[in-house]
Short mmCIF file of all heavy atoms in Angstrom, two decimals:
data_model
loop_
_atom_site.label_atom_id
_atom_site.label_comp_id
_atom_site.label_asym_id
_atom_site.label_seq_id
_atom_site.Cartn_x
_atom_site.Cartn_y
_atom_site.Cartn_z
N GLU A 183 -8.94 9.81 15.66
CA GLU A 183 -9.75 8.69 16.14
C GLU A 183 -11.13 8.73 15.49
O GLU A 183 -11.64 7.71 15.03
CB GLU A 183 -9.86 8.77 17.68
CG GLU A 183 -10.35 7.51 18.34
CD GLU A 183 -9.72 6.23 17.76
OE1 GLU A 183 -8.49 6.18 17.66
OE2 GLU A 183 -10.48 5.29 17.40
N GLN A 184 -11.71 9.92 15.43
CA GLN A 184 -13.04 10.04 14.82
C GLN A 184 -12.98 9.69 13.32
O GLN A 184 -13.90 9.07 12.79
CB GLN A 184 -13.58 11.46 15.05
CG GLN A 184 -14.99 11.63 14.51
CD GLN A 184 -15.90 12.40 15.46
OE1 GLN A 184 -15.47 13.27 16.19
NE2 GLN A 184 -17.17 12.07 15.43
N THR A 185 -11.90 10.08 12.68
CA THR A 185 -11.73 9.73 11.26
C THR A 185 -11.67 8.21 11.09
O THR A 185 -12.31 7.65 10.19
CB THR A 185 -10.42 10.35 10.72
OG1 THR A 185 -10.50 11.76 10.87
CG2 THR A 185 -10.21 10.00 9.26
N ARG A 186 -10.92 7.56 11.97
CA ARG A 186 -10.81 6.09 11.86
C ARG A 186 -12.18 5.43 12.02
O ARG A 186 -12.51 4.48 11.32
CB ARG A 186 -9.84 5.56 12.93
CG ARG A 186 -8.40 6.01 12.68
CD ARG A 186 -7.51 5.72 13.88
NE ARG A 186 -7.42 4.30 14.16
CZ ARG A 186 -6.47 3.50 13.68
NH1 ARG A 186 -5.52 4.00 12.94
NH2 ARG A 186 -6.47 2.22 13.96
N GLU A 187 -12.99 5.98 12.92
CA GLU A 187 -14.35 5.42 13.10
C GLU A 187 -15.18 5.60 11.84
O GLU A 187 -15.91 4.70 11.44
CB GLU A 187 -15.05 6.14 14.26
CG GLU A 187 -14.56 5.69 15.63
CD GLU A 187 -15.20 6.49 16.75
OE1 GLU A 187 -16.37 6.92 16.61
OE2 GLU A 187 -14.52 6.70 17.76
N ILE A 188 -15.07 6.77 11.23
CA ILE A 188 -15.84 7.02 10.01
C ILE A 188 -15.40 6.06 8.90
O ILE A 188 -16.22 5.50 8.18
CB ILE A 188 -15.70 8.50 9.58
CG1 ILE A 188 -16.44 9.40 10.58
CG2 ILE A 188 -16.22 8.73 8.16
CD1 ILE A 188 -16.25 10.90 10.37
N VAL A 189 -14.09 5.85 8.80
CA VAL A 189 -13.57 4.94 7.78
C VAL A 189 -14.15 3.53 7.99
O VAL A 189 -14.67 2.91 7.05
CB VAL A 189 -12.03 4.88 7.84
CG1 VAL A 189 -11.48 3.72 7.02
CG2 VAL A 189 -11.43 6.20 7.36
N ARG A 190 -14.10 3.05 9.23
CA ARG A 190 -14.61 1.69 9.50
C ARG A 190 -16.10 1.61 9.22
O ARG A 190 -16.57 0.65 8.60
CB ARG A 190 -14.32 1.30 10.96
CG ARG A 190 -12.84 1.07 11.23
CD ARG A 190 -12.63 0.33 12.54
NE ARG A 190 -12.99 1.14 13.69
CZ ARG A 190 -12.13 1.89 14.40
NH1 ARG A 190 -10.86 1.92 14.06
NH2 ARG A 190 -12.54 2.59 15.42
N LYS A 191 -16.81 2.63 9.65
CA LYS A 191 -18.26 2.62 9.45
C LYS A 191 -18.59 2.65 7.95
O LYS A 191 -19.48 1.95 7.49
CB LYS A 191 -18.85 3.85 10.15
CG LYS A 191 -20.33 3.97 10.06
CD LYS A 191 -21.00 3.53 11.33
CE LYS A 191 -22.50 3.53 11.10
NZ LYS A 191 -23.27 3.51 12.29
N PHE A 192 -17.86 3.46 7.21
CA PHE A 192 -18.12 3.55 5.78
C PHE A 192 -17.85 2.20 5.11
O PHE A 192 -18.69 1.66 4.39
CB PHE A 192 -17.26 4.64 5.12
CG PHE A 192 -17.58 4.85 3.67
CD1 PHE A 192 -18.50 5.80 3.26
CD2 PHE A 192 -16.97 4.07 2.69
CE1 PHE A 192 -18.82 5.97 1.92
CE2 PHE A 192 -17.28 4.23 1.34
CZ PHE A 192 -18.21 5.19 0.96
N ASN A 193 -16.67 1.66 5.38
CA ASN A 193 -16.28 0.43 4.70
C ASN A 193 -17.20 -0.74 5.07
O ASN A 193 -17.48 -1.59 4.23
CB ASN A 193 -14.82 0.08 5.00
CG ASN A 193 -13.84 1.00 4.25
OD1 ASN A 193 -14.22 1.73 3.34
ND2 ASN A 193 -12.58 0.98 4.65
N THR A 194 -17.68 -0.78 6.33
CA THR A 194 -18.60 -1.89 6.66
C THR A 194 -20.00 -1.62 6.12
O THR A 194 -20.63 -2.52 5.56
CB THR A 194 -18.70 -2.16 8.18
OG1 THR A 194 -18.85 -0.92 8.86
CG2 THR A 194 -17.50 -2.88 8.72
N THR A 195 -20.48 -0.39 6.23
CA THR A 195 -21.83 -0.09 5.74
C THR A 195 -21.95 -0.40 4.25
O THR A 195 -22.94 -0.97 3.81
CB THR A 195 -22.19 1.38 6.00
OG1 THR A 195 -22.05 1.65 7.38
CG2 THR A 195 -23.61 1.70 5.55
N TYR A 196 -20.93 0.00 3.50
CA TYR A 196 -21.03 -0.15 2.05
C TYR A 196 -20.22 -1.35 1.55
O TYR A 196 -20.01 -1.49 0.35
CB TYR A 196 -20.64 1.15 1.36
CG TYR A 196 -21.56 2.28 1.78
CD1 TYR A 196 -21.09 3.32 2.57
CD2 TYR A 196 -22.91 2.24 1.45
CE1 TYR A 196 -21.95 4.32 3.00
CE2 TYR A 196 -23.77 3.24 1.88
CZ TYR A 196 -23.28 4.28 2.66
OH TYR A 196 -24.14 5.24 3.09
#
Side-chain angles (χ1 to χ4, degrees):
E183 195 42 51
Q184 183 137 32
T185 301
R186 293 168 63 93
E187 284 175 32
I188 290 174
V189 167
R190 290 195 293 266
K191 181 102 187 197
F192 185 92
N193 287 346
T194 46
T195 304
Y196 300 111

